[in-house]
Each structure stands twice: as C-alpha cells, then as structure tokens.
Amino acid sequence: MSTDMSTGTSSPPAPDPRRWWALVVIALAQLIVVLDMTIVNIALPSAQRDLGMTDGNRQWAVTAYTLAFGGLLLLGGRLGDLFGRKRSFVAGLIGFAVASALGGAATGPGMLFAARALQGVFAALLAPAALSLLTTTFTDPRERGKAFGVFGAIAGAGGAIGMLVGGALTEYLDWRWCLYVNAPVAAVAVTGALVLLEDPGRRAGARLDFAGALLGTAGVLAIVYGFSEAESRDWDDGLVLTLLIGGVAVLGLFALWQTRARTPLLPLHIVKDRQRAGACLTMALVTVSMFGVFLFLTFYLQGIKGWSPLRTGVAYLPMTASMIVGSTQISARLLGKVPARTLIVPGLTLAAGGLAVLASIDVDAPYAGRVLPGICMMGLGLGVTFMAAISTATGRVAPQEQGAASATLNTMQQVGGSVGTALLNTIAAGATADWLTEHRVAPAGQTPQVRAALAEATVHGFSVATWISAGIMLLAALVAGVLINAEAPGRQAAAEGPGHETSPAGAPAPVG
C-alpha cells in the first residue's frame, strides 16, 4: 500500500499486472474439471467393449467420479482455506493428471473405476481452490465482472466442450485419450500456477474439523449415491431410501456439530446469508434441470438421428457460443450496474423457453429448425445466469472462508446434477413405457414398424422429461427472484459512502 504525500491518505496497492494470465490458468483448471464430467460419457461405449464391462457395472465409470467429487467438496474447500489455496490448486492439478493417466492405462474395469474415483478426490480439492483464487485475485468490481464472465462461460459450456472433444478423440484416436488429454493440459496449468498465482499460504494456527469432515462427507456421499442408485432401482428400493434418509440425517448432525465446533468445516453463517443461499439453491435447481437434458439430447442425436459422436459434439457448439456471449457480453457488462436477480431471472426464463422448444421435438424434427433454436436460447440464458449466480454465491465472504463458500456452491451443483440425472431419467423411462403400453407395442420384435414405434416412444419420454425440466428451470427463476434481492454492487458502494471500501471477498471493510 502506498501513501499520497499531499493528502496523507493511503491508496490501495496496484493490481498484479499478471492477473489476466492468472485467469487463463484458473480457467484451464476449471475446464478440466467440468469437461471431465461429460467427456467420458462419449467414450464409455468404446471403453465398455475394450475392458469387458457389463451393462450393470459400466455406470461406475461415471458414478465413481461424481461420488468422490461431490462427497469430498466441503473437505477440499476447507483444506484450501486452512493450508493455502495455491497449494491445493497445484496438488489438485497434479493428482488429477496422475489419476487421468492411470485411467487411460486401465487394463480392466476395476482399475478404471478406481482411477475415476481418484480423479474425483483431486477434483474436490481443485475446484473450490480455483473459484477462491479467482475471487481473491480480482478485487475491482469491473474487472471481477469480466473475470467471472469468462469463468461462468467455461462452467456452463465445459460440458458441451467435453462432448465435442470426447467425440473427436474417440473417433480419430482412442477412448483412452479422453483421459490422457488431461495430463498435458494440467501440466501447462501447474506451470502457470507456480509462476502467476499468489497465495498467502497456510494460516497460522490452522486446524481441521475432523468430526465435521467425516459427517459432511458421509452425508453428501450418501445422498449422491442414493440418487445415482435410484436411476437403476425403484425409488422405493430399500437401499435408495436408506441412503437418502440416512444422508439427510447425517447432514442434520453435521449442521448441529458446526454450531459447536471450534473451527467448523462450514461456518453456518455462510449458508444463512440470504443472497448466498438463494444463489446456491438457484444453481442447484439449474443443474437438476440441465444435466438430464444434455443426456437426452445426446441420445436423441446419436440414437434416434444416428449421428456420430463427433457430429453430436459439433451440434453443441452453437450452445457453447451462446453461453459465452451471454456470460461475457451481457452479464459481465451489466453485473456491476444492475442487481443480480435482474440478470438471473430473465436468463433462466429464456433458458426455460429453450427447453420448451426442445421438449416439442419429434422423431423427424430438423436440427436447424427445432434443435438449434432451443439450444441457443438455453445457452444464452444460462450464460447470463451463471456469472451472476456464481458471483453472488461467492461474494461478501471473508478471504479465509472463500474455500468453504466455493465448496458449498460446487456441492450444490454436484448434488443437483445427481438428482437431475436420476429424476429425469426415471421420468423419461416411465413415460416411454406408458406410451408403449397405451399404443400396445411389444418391443420384442425388430421389424421396421417396431423400431419406428420404439423411436417415437423414446422421444416421447424425452419430451415429457424435458417439459418437467423447463418447469424446474422456471422454479429456479422464482427462487432467485424471491431470495436474491441485493442491489447492484455500485449502488451498495455509493450507499456506504467514501468511508468504506470492498474487501477482496466483496464484504465492506473499513479503510485504515
């Protein structure tokens, strides 16, 4: 901090001139985490044939990753707070790269599943550290808007990019490269992190809440696993009910313990804040809505239209471009000037409209006339939403608690994705079965008429589930409109007057 000799007042230190390169490093790490949730989906059929996976256990190639990732996020975020975010960031990248290489070299299903679980462990360390570093690196409201715009675009578009990259690698190289590709990207990110990222390191007297870590991890793991199993079992299955009810009960004990712990894993004031709670709940509902739809649309283009994995990935590019436009050209420019909910509510309403368009497609629907408008509307709306919601969820938090806030948001998204995949797949399967029963179609035959009926029934199931998804997206808009009521950051600063400045986390701090 420098001192103006004419006035005797202190001026804030000049921003790090390398901060935009630091954003590139953080964005690379976020891209690795997000796209790895979808890139393996494209490669899974080839991996199943190569490794001899059964239809019953192939889901573990996805479930092992999501379980470890979702279950350990709170712990990973707090480790970054306590022992240094840069250390967590670098350790997460290195571990993720090693786990990816092990998965690519898998000689059997067990080795692949173990590697995917290990990827999830290090992703849980990496993701909260990346978001925390972004929040503390960009302290100027206008610059933070641009930075969050890039981050939000990657968070939203990473899944579609994963399908594109996965399709190309699987089609032209080998499914193993869908995992190997993480290693060189992580190496670049690690090098950049060591050179460009700043972090104060370990806090003095840092302690970990072991009891809280055990309870929080067990509770989230049980819920994520419960919803994952609900996809293949009935909702009234004993194991599913035990996991879901038990998970909620354990999280209740976790919340009670956090009120008594000396150094809580998740300080409860983080989730009690109205703006943050609204943003996290909104993002959870959004991921419930969109994860299932990505899966349906992929099956529609490949299974019904007969498109290749690469062509399917290319079909998502307009949605990716729309997300980038919504995030960087609309939300990033307006967030500092208007309240967050004036961006989130219209964005989610537009995304719901896009889902409605997708819900109306039939077997013969043209891509340009029906699918393209729907995914562009959805992409633009989500692009506007993500940046505003992420900024709201992580703002106004003390720097030493940024990891906990970031992990909370990531956990809500991860749980939302698990819930959405299980719930919407169940709805789609039920609607398909009802259509076949109503039209008295026996799916045993392979005649052209039966195949056509099965295709129509499948698309009907997708349509019903997508209409539900549109309703969930509108519910997210309602939640955001009711709970997120803060004014624009610029108006808040003006109301506080010149005697306040904004801390790196966005919370007002006295000048001194």
Side-chain angles (χ1 to χ4, degrees):
M1 182 172 292
S2 61
T3 302
D4 188 330
M5 300 303 294
S6 62
T7 62
T9 59
S10 297
S11 59
D16 187 342
R18 304 175 302 171
R19 62 197 180 281
W20 295 108
W21 285 108
L23 174 61
V24 173
V25 173
I26 295 170
L28 269 179
Q30 177 66 12
L31 182 61
I32 290 174
V33 172
V34 175
L35 67 81
D36 221 70
M37 298 177 69
T38 56
I39 192 172
V40 173
N41 289 342
I42 297 293
L44 190 54
S46 299
Q48 181 179 0
R49 290 192 298 270
D50 193 16
L51 299 180
M53 284 183 269
T54 66
D55 290 343
N57 69 11
R58 67 182 177 187
Q59 64 164 329
W60 282 101
V62 177
T63 304
Y65 179 78
T66 57
L67 270 178
F69 187 20
L72 295 172
L73 269 167
L74 286 176
L75 177 59
R78 201 53 171 161
L79 287 173
D81 283 340
L82 296 178
F83 305 116
R85 299 183 193 96
K86 181 176 177 179
R87 294 178 183 178
S88 294
F89 186 83
V90 172
L93 279 170
I94 294 173
F96 196 90
V98 171
S100 299
L102 289 174
T107 56
M111 185 175 174
L112 177 63
F113 302 157
R116 289 287 286 163
L118 195 60
Q119 278 186 306
V121 170
F122 287 103
L125 190 64
L126 175 60
L131 186 50
S132 299
L133 285 167
L134 178 71
T135 304
T136 54
T137 298
F138 293 90
T139 58
D140 180 84
R142 287 174 297 179
E143 289 191 348
R144 177 178 287 183
K146 295 178 183 178
F148 269 105
V150 173
F151 192 85
I154 290 174
I161 294 172
M163 285 182 272
L164 173 62
V165 174
L169 291 174
T170 302
E171 192 160 329
Y172 294 114
L173 291 174
D174 184 77
W175 69 266
R176 297 177 184 274
W177 280 98
C178 292
L179 293 164
Y180 285 144
V181 71
N182 291 323
V185 178
V188 173
V190 167
T191 303
L194 293 174
V195 174
L196 299 169
L197 296 182
E198 298 293 337
D199 187 51
R202 175 175 177 161
R203 282 173 49 200
R207 297 180 61 184
L208 182 62
D209 174 18
F210 287 103
L214 180 62
L215 290 171
T217 300
V220 175
L221 272 173
I223 290 175
V224 173
Y225 185 37
F227 277 108
S228 299
E229 285 296 297
E231 188 176 350
S232 57
R233 302 170 180 259
D234 292 331
W235 285 93
D236 58 357
D237 179 80
L239 176 62
V240 172
L241 291 176
T242 300
L243 288 168
L244 296 179
I245 296 172
V248 171
V250 172
L251 287 182
L253 292 174
F254 168 74
L256 179 62
W257 172 252
Q258 295 306 282
T259 64
R260 302 179 179 183
R262 185 175 175 183
T263 54
L265 186 72
L266 175 61
L268 292 184
H269 64 84
I270 289 179
V271 292
K272 287 181 179 179
D273 178 82
R274 175 173 179 163
Q275 313 306 322
R276 195 169 302 110
C280 287
L281 183 56
T282 297
M283 288 298 287
L285 289 170
V286 168
T287 52
V288 168
S289 175
M290 63 181 283
F291 264 58
V293 172
F294 279 149
L295 190 62
F296 299 152
L297 193 55
T298 300
F299 275 116
Y300 174 77
L301 294 175
Q302 292 192 35
I304 304 300
K305 293 292 190 181
W307 289 14
S308 69
L310 178 59
R311 188 180 179 186
T312 301
V314 171
Y316 280 103
L317 285 181
M319 184 175 72
T320 303
S322 298
M323 283 184 175
I324 293 173
V325 170
S327 186
T328 62
Q329 302 304 311
I330 299 176
S331 198
R333 294 175 183 272
L334 295 178
L335 184 59
K337 303 174 184 178
V338 301
R341 68 174 172 183
T342 63
L343 294 170
I344 296 173
V345 174
L348 293 180
T349 303
L350 179 63
L355 289 170
V357 173
L358 294 176
S360 66
I361 62 176
D362 53 30
V363 174
D364 300 316
Y367 171 81
R370 302 287 287 280
V371 177
L372 182 61
I375 63 174
C376 286
M377 290 172 63
M378 186 177 171
L380 186 63
L382 292 177
V384 171
T385 296
F386 280 143
M387 181 206 154
I390 293 172
S391 180
T392 302
T394 57
R396 304 184 67 84
V397 183
Q400 68 271 19
E401 294 177 343
Q402 273 295 325
S406 301
T408 301
L409 175 63
N410 276 285
T411 300
M412 295 296 284
Q413 291 177 275
Q414 190 65 32
V415 172
S418 298
V419 172
T421 302
L423 177 64
L424 295 174
N425 272 346
T426 301
I427 291 172
T432 298
D434 290 344
W435 190 96
L436 291 172
T437 300
E438 181 181 345
H439 291 78
R440 299 180 180 178
V441 175
Q446 290 297 318
T447 65
Q449 292 82 2
V450 169
R451 288 196 294 270
L454 287 173
E456 191 170 348
T458 301
V459 173
H460 171 74
F462 292 169
S463 177
V464 170
T466 305
W467 278 117
I468 299 295
S469 181
I472 296 172
M473 194 73 78
L474 287 176
L475 177 60
L478 177 63
V479 168
V482 171
L483 292 181
I484 303 175
N485 63 355
E487 294 184 350
R491 295 180 183 176
Q492 290 177 347
E496 289 164 356
H500 289 75
E501 66 182 14
T502 302
S503 74
V511 176

